[in-house]
Amino acid sequence: KPARDQGPASFWGLVIVVEDLEKVASTSGGRIGRIKEAVQPGRRIATVKTSARLGVPTAFMNPEVR
């Protein structure tokens, strides 16, 4: 059953799934933070630093492990 009275849905940010998270991080010119374990088991994530000034919270994540 859906929760009630929590207000309208909102956009938090953007996650981009990439095959090679290490390559993305190493070629970002320091604009991406450290790679860490994601909430989802077997996945890792790295967020773009606010100093990159993208305007919306953004992160990169490896694909889902099956």
Side-chain angles (χ1 to χ4, degrees):
K1 183 176 180 181
R4 296 177 188 240
D5 299 323
Q6 292 185 357
S10 63
F11 182 72
W12 176 86
L14 178 67
V15 174
I16 303 163
V17 177
V18 296
E19 288 294 325
D20 191 341
L21 186 56
E22 287 78 11
K23 184 173 184 177
V24 171
S26 70
T27 59
S28 74
R31 292 178 189 93
I32 296 176
R34 69 177 182 83
I35 297 171
K36 58 188 177 185
E37 295 299 314
V39 173
Q40 300 88 347
R43 297 184 84 179
R44 297 168 56 212
I45 191 168
T47 57
V48 178
K49 295 178 179 178
T50 56
S51 60
R53 301 177 145 216
L54 292 182
V56 64
T58 305
F60 292 94
M61 181 181 278
N62 67 310
E64 182 177 3
V65 179
R66 293 185 178 213

